[in-house]
Amino acid sequence: WAADHQACDGRVAMYGFSYQAMTQLLALAGAVRAGTKLPDAIAPVMGAWTISDDWAADGGCFRLAGGLGWAIQM
């Protein structure tokens, strides 16, 4: 949608740490899966290898301390 926005020349680049790093990778995967335009550049920094194992859960249990720390920063 960003590439098609009237204020955009069609080029899309993304940058971000942590959660924003993961959204870049998910946007890339979604574009590949849908066969739509890929981002022209991404720069994910400090993203988790897998959200469920490295971020939100530990052994299948929600990692409350990590979630609280992130929420406090926000």
Side-chain angles (χ1 to χ4, degrees):
W1 65 264
D4 293 332
H5 192 277
Q6 65 181 2
C8 184
D9 67 1
R11 295 178 292 175
V12 175
M14 297 183 289
Y15 168 80
F17 286 82
S18 192
Y19 176 80
Q20 292 81 11
M22 294 305 301
T23 60
Q24 292 172 68
L25 298 174
L26 292 169
L28 177 61
V32 168
R33 184 175 297 131
T36 57
K37 183 184 183 318
L38 301 176
D40 294 292
I42 61 172
V45 181
M46 295 174 55
W49 186 255
T50 62
I51 295 172
S52 60
D53 295 336
D54 297 331
W55 243 2
D58 187 7
C61 296
F62 178 64
R63 194 178 286 176
L64 180 61
L68 286 174
W70 180 83
I72 289 168
Q73 290 179 37
M74 296 299 111

